[in-house]
mmCIF file of all heavy atoms in Angstrom:
data_model
loop_
_atom_site.group_PDB
_atom_site.id
_atom_site.type_symbol
_atom_site.label_atom_id
_atom_site.label_comp_id
_atom_site.label_asym_id
_atom_site.label_seq_id
_atom_site.Cartn_x
_atom_site.Cartn_y
_atom_site.Cartn_z
ATOM 1 N N GLU V 131 111.327 42.108 279.570
ATOM 2 C CA GLU V 131 109.918 42.028 279.185
ATOM 3 C C GLU V 131 109.332 43.425 279.047
ATOM 4 O O GLU V 131 109.751 44.359 279.737
ATOM 5 C CB GLU V 131 109.113 41.251 280.244
ATOM 6 C CG GLU V 131 109.525 39.804 280.358
ATOM 7 C CD GLU V 131 108.812 39.053 281.477
ATOM 8 O OE1 GLU V 131 108.052 39.686 282.242
ATOM 9 O OE2 GLU V 131 109.033 37.837 281.591
ATOM 10 N N ALA V 132 108.352 43.534 278.151
ATOM 11 C CA ALA V 132 107.590 44.777 278.018
ATOM 12 C C ALA V 132 106.113 44.420 277.966
ATOM 13 O O ALA V 132 105.715 43.492 277.258
ATOM 14 C CB ALA V 132 108.002 45.537 276.760
ATOM 15 N N VAL V 133 105.327 45.129 278.761
ATOM 16 C CA VAL V 133 103.898 44.820 278.910
ATOM 17 C C VAL V 133 103.073 45.844 278.146
ATOM 18 O O VAL V 133 103.337 47.045 278.234
ATOM 19 C CB VAL V 133 103.502 44.842 280.412
ATOM 20 C CG1 VAL V 133 101.984 44.682 280.580
ATOM 21 C CG2 VAL V 133 104.253 43.759 281.184
ATOM 22 N N PHE V 134 102.090 45.354 277.380
ATOM 23 C CA PHE V 134 101.142 46.262 276.721
ATOM 24 C C PHE V 134 99.823 45.533 276.544
ATOM 25 O O PHE V 134 99.750 44.310 276.676
ATOM 26 C CB PHE V 134 101.690 46.757 275.370
ATOM 27 C CG PHE V 134 102.173 45.672 274.459
ATOM 28 C CD1 PHE V 134 101.301 44.969 273.639
ATOM 29 C CD2 PHE V 134 103.529 45.335 274.432
ATOM 30 C CE1 PHE V 134 101.752 43.961 272.810
ATOM 31 C CE2 PHE V 134 103.991 44.316 273.599
ATOM 32 C CZ PHE V 134 103.098 43.624 272.786
ATOM 33 N N LEU V 166 93.758 47.557 283.223
ATOM 34 C CA LEU V 166 94.960 48.011 283.938
ATOM 35 C C LEU V 166 95.267 47.127 285.141
ATOM 36 O O LEU V 166 96.435 46.984 285.527
ATOM 37 C CB LEU V 166 94.797 49.480 284.358
ATOM 38 C CG LEU V 166 94.794 50.479 283.183
ATOM 39 C CD1 LEU V 166 94.498 51.894 283.688
ATOM 40 C CD2 LEU V 166 96.121 50.452 282.436
ATOM 41 N N VAL V 167 94.225 46.516 285.717
ATOM 42 C CA VAL V 167 94.456 45.612 286.848
ATOM 43 C C VAL V 167 95.251 44.393 286.375
ATOM 44 O O VAL V 167 96.254 44.002 286.983
ATOM 45 C CB VAL V 167 93.108 45.200 287.498
ATOM 46 C CG1 VAL V 167 93.330 44.146 288.567
ATOM 47 C CG2 VAL V 167 92.407 46.435 288.077
ATOM 48 N N ALA V 168 94.813 43.822 285.255
ATOM 49 C CA ALA V 168 95.528 42.654 284.709
ATOM 50 C C ALA V 168 96.930 43.047 284.249
ATOM 51 O O ALA V 168 97.882 42.267 284.395
ATOM 52 C CB ALA V 168 94.737 42.041 283.556
ATOM 53 N N MET V 169 97.068 44.251 283.716
ATOM 54 C CA MET V 169 98.398 44.688 283.268
ATOM 55 C C MET V 169 99.344 44.831 284.457
ATOM 56 O O MET V 169 100.509 44.436 284.385
ATOM 57 C CB MET V 169 98.296 46.000 282.489
ATOM 58 C CG MET V 169 97.702 45.803 281.083
ATOM 59 S SD MET V 169 97.477 47.330 280.160
ATOM 60 C CE MET V 169 99.176 47.775 279.783
ATOM 61 N N ALA V 170 98.828 45.390 285.555
ATOM 62 C CA ALA V 170 99.661 45.537 286.757
ATOM 63 C C ALA V 170 100.134 44.167 287.241
ATOM 64 O O ALA V 170 101.285 44.004 287.662
ATOM 65 C CB ALA V 170 98.886 46.265 287.847
ATOM 66 N N LYS V 171 99.240 43.166 287.150
ATOM 67 C CA LYS V 171 99.600 41.818 287.609
ATOM 68 C C LYS V 171 100.613 41.157 286.688
ATOM 69 O O LYS V 171 101.257 40.180 287.079
ATOM 70 C CB LYS V 171 98.342 40.936 287.679
ATOM 71 C CG LYS V 171 97.465 41.253 288.878
ATOM 72 C CD LYS V 171 96.294 40.283 288.953
ATOM 73 C CE LYS V 171 95.324 40.703 290.057
ATOM 74 N NZ LYS V 171 93.943 40.310 289.727
ATOM 75 N N SER V 172 100.747 41.646 285.461
ATOM 76 C CA SER V 172 101.678 41.041 284.503
ATOM 77 C C SER V 172 103.095 41.584 284.641
ATOM 78 O O SER V 172 103.997 41.127 283.943
ATOM 79 C CB SER V 172 101.187 41.279 283.071
ATOM 80 O OG SER V 172 99.891 40.745 282.922
ATOM 81 N N VAL V 173 103.257 42.596 285.486
ATOM 82 C CA VAL V 173 104.587 43.170 285.701
ATOM 83 C C VAL V 173 105.407 42.221 286.571
ATOM 84 O O VAL V 173 104.938 41.755 287.613
ATOM 85 C CB VAL V 173 104.478 44.566 286.364
ATOM 86 C CG1 VAL V 173 105.848 45.075 286.781
ATOM 87 C CG2 VAL V 173 103.804 45.541 285.413
ATOM 88 N N THR V 174 106.615 41.888 286.120
ATOM 89 C CA THR V 174 107.515 40.996 286.861
ATOM 90 C C THR V 174 108.840 41.729 287.076
ATOM 91 O O THR V 174 109.031 42.832 286.544
ATOM 92 C CB THR V 174 107.802 39.700 286.056
ATOM 93 O OG1 THR V 174 108.696 40.040 284.977
ATOM 94 C CG2 THR V 174 106.532 39.075 285.493
ATOM 95 N N THR V 177 110.295 43.096 283.934
ATOM 96 C CA THR V 177 109.590 44.119 283.151
ATOM 97 C C THR V 177 110.374 45.423 283.153
ATOM 98 O O THR V 177 110.620 46.009 284.204
ATOM 99 C CB THR V 177 108.181 44.386 283.730
ATOM 100 O OG1 THR V 177 107.477 43.147 283.810
ATOM 101 C CG2 THR V 177 107.414 45.357 282.849
ATOM 102 N N LYS V 178 110.760 45.867 281.965
ATOM 103 C CA LYS V 178 111.477 47.145 281.849
ATOM 104 C C LYS V 178 110.528 48.262 281.429
ATOM 105 O O LYS V 178 110.704 49.411 281.830
ATOM 106 C CB LYS V 178 112.590 47.014 280.805
ATOM 107 C CG LYS V 178 113.732 46.105 281.208
ATOM 108 C CD LYS V 178 114.777 46.896 281.969
ATOM 109 C CE LYS V 178 116.046 46.106 282.204
ATOM 110 N NZ LYS V 178 116.845 45.918 280.994
ATOM 111 N N LEU V 179 109.582 47.914 280.541
ATOM 112 C CA LEU V 179 108.710 48.928 279.951
ATOM 113 C C LEU V 179 107.261 48.494 280.047
ATOM 114 O O LEU V 179 106.952 47.314 279.897
ATOM 115 C CB LEU V 179 109.024 49.103 278.459
ATOM 116 C CG LEU V 179 110.283 49.808 277.997
ATOM 117 C CD1 LEU V 179 110.369 49.746 276.476
ATOM 118 C CD2 LEU V 179 110.277 51.265 278.432
ATOM 119 N N VAL V 180 106.372 49.483 280.262
ATOM 120 C CA VAL V 180 104.930 49.253 280.151
ATOM 121 C C VAL V 180 104.369 50.326 279.225
ATOM 122 O O VAL V 180 104.661 51.514 279.400
ATOM 123 C CB VAL V 180 104.232 49.329 281.535
ATOM 124 C CG1 VAL V 180 102.719 49.278 281.362
ATOM 125 C CG2 VAL V 180 104.688 48.197 282.440
ATOM 126 N N PHE V 181 103.603 49.902 278.230
ATOM 127 C CA PHE V 181 102.960 50.854 277.318
ATOM 128 C C PHE V 181 101.474 50.961 277.663
ATOM 129 O O PHE V 181 100.799 49.942 277.791
ATOM 130 C CB PHE V 181 103.059 50.372 275.869
ATOM 131 C CG PHE V 181 104.462 50.240 275.345
ATOM 132 C CD1 PHE V 181 105.129 49.023 275.388
ATOM 133 C CD2 PHE V 181 105.112 51.333 274.800
ATOM 134 C CE1 PHE V 181 106.425 48.895 274.898
ATOM 135 C CE2 PHE V 181 106.406 51.218 274.303
ATOM 136 C CZ PHE V 181 107.059 50.000 274.350
ATOM 137 N N VAL V 182 100.989 52.190 277.784
ATOM 138 C CA VAL V 182 99.542 52.419 277.886
ATOM 139 C C VAL V 182 99.163 53.325 276.724
ATOM 140 O O VAL V 182 99.666 54.452 276.615
ATOM 141 C CB VAL V 182 99.155 53.078 279.232
ATOM 142 C CG1 VAL V 182 97.659 53.383 279.253
ATOM 143 C CG2 VAL V 182 99.534 52.176 280.401
ATOM 144 N N ALA V 197 91.294 55.110 287.313
ATOM 145 C CA ALA V 197 91.933 53.822 287.017
ATOM 146 C C ALA V 197 93.411 54.021 286.677
ATOM 147 O O ALA V 197 94.283 53.274 287.134
ATOM 148 C CB ALA V 197 91.217 53.130 285.861
ATOM 149 N N PHE V 198 93.703 55.055 285.896
ATOM 150 C CA PHE V 198 95.086 55.294 285.468
ATOM 151 C C PHE V 198 95.966 55.654 286.661
ATOM 152 O O PHE V 198 97.064 55.100 286.836
ATOM 153 C CB PHE V 198 95.111 56.413 284.419
ATOM 154 C CG PHE V 198 96.478 56.707 283.877
ATOM 155 C CD1 PHE V 198 97.020 55.943 282.860
ATOM 156 C CD2 PHE V 198 97.234 57.758 284.389
ATOM 157 C CE1 PHE V 198 98.293 56.214 282.355
ATOM 158 C CE2 PHE V 198 98.505 58.035 283.895
ATOM 159 C CZ PHE V 198 99.032 57.255 282.875
ATOM 160 N N ASP V 199 95.484 56.576 287.492
ATOM 161 C CA ASP V 199 96.297 57.023 288.633
ATOM 162 C C ASP V 199 96.589 55.864 289.583
ATOM 163 O O ASP V 199 97.714 55.727 290.086
ATOM 164 C CB ASP V 199 95.588 58.164 289.376
ATOM 165 C CG ASP V 199 95.517 59.436 288.530
ATOM 166 O OD1 ASP V 199 96.211 59.504 287.494
ATOM 167 O OD2 ASP V 199 94.756 60.353 288.899
ATOM 168 N N GLY V 200 95.579 55.021 289.819
ATOM 169 C CA GLY V 200 95.773 53.863 290.696
ATOM 170 C C GLY V 200 96.834 52.919 290.122
ATOM 171 O O GLY V 200 97.686 52.398 290.847
ATOM 172 N N PHE V 201 96.767 52.734 288.819
ATOM 173 C CA PHE V 201 97.732 51.864 288.128
ATOM 174 C C PHE V 201 99.151 52.403 288.275
ATOM 175 O O PHE V 201 100.084 51.671 288.626
ATOM 176 C CB PHE V 201 97.344 51.774 286.647
ATOM 177 C CG PHE V 201 98.333 51.081 285.771
ATOM 178 C CD1 PHE V 201 98.454 49.697 285.804
ATOM 179 C CD2 PHE V 201 99.139 51.803 284.899
ATOM 180 C CE1 PHE V 201 99.363 49.051 284.981
ATOM 181 C CE2 PHE V 201 100.045 51.163 284.078
ATOM 182 C CZ PHE V 201 100.170 49.783 284.120
ATOM 183 N N VAL V 202 99.320 53.699 288.047
ATOM 184 C CA VAL V 202 100.667 54.276 288.083
ATOM 185 C C VAL V 202 101.219 54.259 289.511
ATOM 186 O O VAL V 202 102.401 53.976 289.730
ATOM 187 C CB VAL V 202 100.685 55.708 287.503
ATOM 188 C CG1 VAL V 202 102.100 56.269 287.499
ATOM 189 C CG2 VAL V 202 100.123 55.729 286.087
ATOM 190 N N GLU V 203 100.341 54.553 290.477
ATOM 191 C CA GLU V 203 100.805 54.549 291.875
ATOM 192 C C GLU V 203 101.352 53.188 292.272
ATOM 193 O O GLU V 203 102.306 53.091 293.052
ATOM 194 C CB GLU V 203 99.651 54.948 292.808
ATOM 195 C CG GLU V 203 99.531 56.456 292.975
ATOM 196 C CD GLU V 203 98.117 56.901 293.341
ATOM 197 O OE1 GLU V 203 97.342 56.071 293.862
ATOM 198 O OE2 GLU V 203 97.802 58.080 293.086
ATOM 199 N N ALA V 204 100.726 52.113 291.742
ATOM 200 C CA ALA V 204 101.133 50.761 292.129
ATOM 201 C C ALA V 204 102.315 50.244 291.304
ATOM 202 O O ALA V 204 102.892 49.209 291.633
ATOM 203 C CB ALA V 204 99.943 49.809 291.985
ATOM 204 N N LEU V 205 102.671 50.959 290.242
ATOM 205 C CA LEU V 205 103.731 50.470 289.353
ATOM 206 C C LEU V 205 105.097 50.616 290.038
ATOM 207 O O LEU V 205 105.409 51.675 290.574
ATOM 208 C CB LEU V 205 103.708 51.303 288.065
ATOM 209 C CG LEU V 205 104.348 50.725 286.811
ATOM 210 C CD1 LEU V 205 103.634 49.440 286.370
ATOM 211 C CD2 LEU V 205 104.294 51.767 285.690
ATOM 212 N N PRO V 206 105.926 49.552 290.036
ATOM 213 C CA PRO V 206 107.261 49.685 290.639
ATOM 214 C C PRO V 206 108.014 50.872 290.018
ATOM 215 O O PRO V 206 107.904 51.132 288.821
ATOM 216 C CB PRO V 206 107.942 48.360 290.282
ATOM 217 C CG PRO V 206 106.830 47.394 290.034
ATOM 218 C CD PRO V 206 105.687 48.202 289.505
ATOM 219 N N ALA V 207 108.779 51.566 290.865
ATOM 220 C CA ALA V 207 109.419 52.815 290.432
ATOM 221 C C ALA V 207 110.443 52.600 289.321
ATOM 222 O O ALA V 207 110.745 53.525 288.575
ATOM 223 C CB ALA V 207 110.077 53.489 291.635
ATOM 224 N N ASP V 208 110.975 51.359 289.214
ATOM 225 C CA ASP V 208 112.017 51.153 288.203
ATOM 226 C C ASP V 208 111.453 50.640 286.870
ATOM 227 O O ASP V 208 112.215 50.254 285.981
ATOM 228 C CB ASP V 208 113.107 50.214 288.731
ATOM 229 C CG ASP V 208 112.559 48.858 289.135
ATOM 230 O OD1 ASP V 208 111.317 48.680 289.114
ATOM 231 O OD2 ASP V 208 113.364 47.970 289.478
ATOM 232 N N VAL V 209 110.130 50.626 286.738
ATOM 233 C CA VAL V 209 109.525 50.266 285.444
ATOM 234 C C VAL V 209 109.258 51.552 284.675
ATOM 235 O O VAL V 209 108.673 52.502 285.203
ATOM 236 C CB VAL V 209 108.215 49.479 285.643
ATOM 237 C CG1 VAL V 209 107.492 49.288 284.304
ATOM 238 C CG2 VAL V 209 108.493 48.126 286.287
ATOM 239 N N ILE V 210 109.700 51.588 283.429
ATOM 240 C CA ILE V 210 109.472 52.771 282.600
ATOM 241 C C ILE V 210 108.058 52.728 282.041
ATOM 242 O O ILE V 210 107.637 51.728 281.456
ATOM 243 C CB ILE V 210 110.520 52.851 281.476
ATOM 244 C CG1 ILE V 210 111.891 53.106 282.107
ATOM 245 C CG2 ILE V 210 110.179 53.956 280.483
ATOM 246 C CD1 ILE V 210 113.034 52.702 281.243
ATOM 247 N N LEU V 211 107.326 53.807 282.293
ATOM 248 C CA LEU V 211 105.936 53.905 281.850
ATOM 249 C C LEU V 211 105.876 54.782 280.607
ATOM 250 O O LEU V 211 106.309 55.937 280.638
ATOM 251 C CB LEU V 211 105.084 54.524 282.965
ATOM 252 C CG LEU V 211 103.656 54.913 282.566
ATOM 253 C CD1 LEU V 211 102.808 53.694 282.220
ATOM 254 C CD2 LEU V 211 102.997 55.722 283.694
ATOM 255 N N VAL V 212 105.338 54.225 279.519
ATOM 256 C CA VAL V 212 105.180 54.971 278.271
ATOM 257 C C VAL V 212 103.687 55.166 278.031
ATOM 258 O O VAL V 212 102.944 54.191 277.915
ATOM 259 C CB VAL V 212 105.810 54.215 277.088
ATOM 260 C CG1 VAL V 212 105.673 55.030 275.804
ATOM 261 C CG2 VAL V 212 107.267 53.891 277.374
ATOM 262 N N VAL V 213 103.252 56.412 278.016
ATOM 263 C CA VAL V 213 101.838 56.707 277.772
ATOM 264 C C VAL V 213 101.739 57.295 276.364
ATOM 265 O O VAL V 213 102.236 58.396 276.108
ATOM 266 C CB VAL V 213 101.274 57.698 278.811
ATOM 267 C CG1 VAL V 213 99.758 57.785 278.673
ATOM 268 C CG2 VAL V 213 101.666 57.289 280.221
ATOM 269 N N TRP V 232 102.030 63.290 285.528
ATOM 270 C CA TRP V 232 102.827 62.143 285.987
ATOM 271 C C TRP V 232 104.255 62.227 285.459
ATOM 272 O O TRP V 232 105.211 61.897 286.158
ATOM 273 C CB TRP V 232 102.179 60.827 285.554
ATOM 274 C CG TRP V 232 101.079 60.386 286.473
ATOM 275 C CD1 TRP V 232 99.741 60.410 286.213
ATOM 276 C CD2 TRP V 232 101.226 59.868 287.802
ATOM 277 N NE1 TRP V 232 99.046 59.944 287.301
ATOM 278 C CE2 TRP V 232 99.930 59.599 288.282
ATOM 279 C CE3 TRP V 232 102.330 59.605 288.621
ATOM 280 C CZ2 TRP V 232 99.703 59.084 289.559
ATOM 281 C CZ3 TRP V 232 102.108 59.098 289.898
ATOM 282 C CH2 TRP V 232 100.803 58.838 290.353
ATOM 283 N N ARG V 236 106.907 61.679 288.212
ATOM 284 C CA ARG V 236 107.419 60.310 288.310
ATOM 285 C C ARG V 236 108.558 60.110 287.318
ATOM 286 O O ARG V 236 108.324 60.011 286.116
ATOM 287 C CB ARG V 236 106.293 59.305 288.009
ATOM 288 C CG ARG V 236 106.744 57.844 288.130
ATOM 289 C CD ARG V 236 105.651 56.892 287.626
ATOM 290 N NE ARG V 236 106.046 55.506 287.794
ATOM 291 C CZ ARG V 236 106.799 54.825 286.924
ATOM 292 N NH1 ARG V 236 107.221 55.395 285.822
ATOM 293 N NH2 ARG V 236 107.105 53.559 287.169
ATOM 294 N N PRO V 237 109.796 60.009 287.837
ATOM 295 C CA PRO V 237 110.917 59.746 286.925
ATOM 296 C C PRO V 237 110.673 58.423 286.198
ATOM 297 O O PRO V 237 110.100 57.495 286.763
ATOM 298 C CB PRO V 237 112.124 59.636 287.859
ATOM 299 C CG PRO V 237 111.707 60.302 289.133
ATOM 300 C CD PRO V 237 110.226 60.110 289.238
ATOM 301 N N GLY V 238 111.093 58.346 284.946
ATOM 302 C CA GLY V 238 110.860 57.104 284.198
ATOM 303 C C GLY V 238 109.468 57.043 283.596
ATOM 304 O O GLY V 238 108.934 55.960 283.387
ATOM 305 N N THR V 239 108.874 58.205 283.352
ATOM 306 C CA THR V 239 107.578 58.261 282.653
ATOM 307 C C THR V 239 107.787 59.043 281.363
ATOM 308 O O THR V 239 108.422 60.101 281.370
ATOM 309 C CB THR V 239 106.521 58.980 283.519
ATOM 310 O OG1 THR V 239 106.415 58.295 284.766
ATOM 311 C CG2 THR V 239 105.161 59.011 282.819
ATOM 312 N N LEU V 240 107.272 58.513 280.262
ATOM 313 C CA LEU V 240 107.392 59.214 278.981
ATOM 314 C C LEU V 240 106.008 59.304 278.338
ATOM 315 O O LEU V 240 105.332 58.292 278.157
ATOM 316 C CB LEU V 240 108.348 58.467 278.046
ATOM 317 C CG LEU V 240 108.729 59.253 276.781
ATOM 318 C CD1 LEU V 240 109.669 60.409 277.115
ATOM 319 C CD2 LEU V 240 109.369 58.346 275.743
#
Side-chain angles (χ1 to χ4, degrees):
E131 295 176 355
V133 173
F134 51 84
L166 291 175
V167 174
M169 286 177 71
K171 285 184 187 150
S172 302
V173 171
T174 74
T177 305
K178 292 272 189 72
L179 287 176
V180 172
F181 298 95
V182 176
F198 182 83
D199 292 348
F201 172 75
V202 182
E203 273 154 22
L205 201 63
D208 59 354
V209 172
I210 293 158
L211 170 66
V212 182
V213 190
W232 278 107
R236 182 188 183 276
T239 303
L240 190 72

